[in-house]
Amino acid sequence: LHATALSQVGNDKRAQRVYKSALSPPLRQYLTPKSMADVCLGRAGCLQRLMRYYEAYEQLLEFLDIRTDTDESIGSSTARAKATYMAATCALRMQDWERAASVLRRYQYRRGEEQQSALEDGRDNDNEMF
């Protein structure tokens, strides 16, 4: 909450440090998956506004790679989509077209896996009824 307030009043330099401390090992364990998503995206947004595109890109990729104990992605599909387009934007700002295309392809692939998994789960549930 403190970092969000700092960011909203234009103090992104301090806000990204607060976000970074929230992601440090002693504190990270207390974040819920939704809070983790908010912190990662908030920090990446601050880094983007500070024109630290490489760091923002790395933060976003880290967020996209975080898995829960049950090997699920954290954050909503909307949060993952936002992280993907933010990462692609950072790559484009760095004039790295390959990175931008790579992160978009990766999201498209993962999204396809999630949809396929949901379809399979639906079929399994239907079969259990018979």
Side-chain angles (χ1 to χ4, degrees), residues 13-119:
K13 198 174 215 176
R14 281 187 57 205
Q16 79 82 23
R17 287 194 303 260
V18 174
Y19 281 128
K20 186 176 182 176
S21 70
L23 292 170
S24 65
L27 299 177
R28 187 180 195 137
Q29 64 185 335
Y30 300 109
L31 294 175
T32 65
K34 181 180 180 339
S35 297
M36 176 76 77
D38 292 342
V39 170
C40 289
L41 292 175
R43 180 166 187 260
C46 288
L47 291 168
Q48 271 188 315
R49 287 187 294 279
L50 292 168
M51 294 185 215
R52 292 165 56 183
Y53 300 119
Y54 183 77
E55 290 175 74
Y57 178 84
E58 291 294 317
Q59 177 67 61
L60 293 161
L61 288 187
E62 180 183 323
F63 165 71
L64 290 169
D65 287 339
I66 295 173
R67 307 305 254 184
T68 64
D69 293 338
T70 58
D71 198 37
E72 295 175 24
S73 299
I74 67 162
S76 65
S77 60
T78 304
R80 289 191 308 278
K82 182 177 182 178
T84 300
Y85 88 73
M86 287 173 71
T89 300
C90 287
L92 292 172
R93 295 274 184 190
M94 294 184 295
Q95 298 182 358
D96 192 335
W97 322 125
E98 281 302 312
R99 275 184 203 223
S102 173
V103 74
L104 292 170
R105 277 192 301 269
R106 183 174 138 186
Y107 176 75
Q108 185 179 25
Y109 176 76
R110 282 213 175 142
R111 187 75 178 126
E113 279 184 338
E114 289 172 4
Q115 289 173 340
Q116 184 62 34
S117 177
L119 286 173

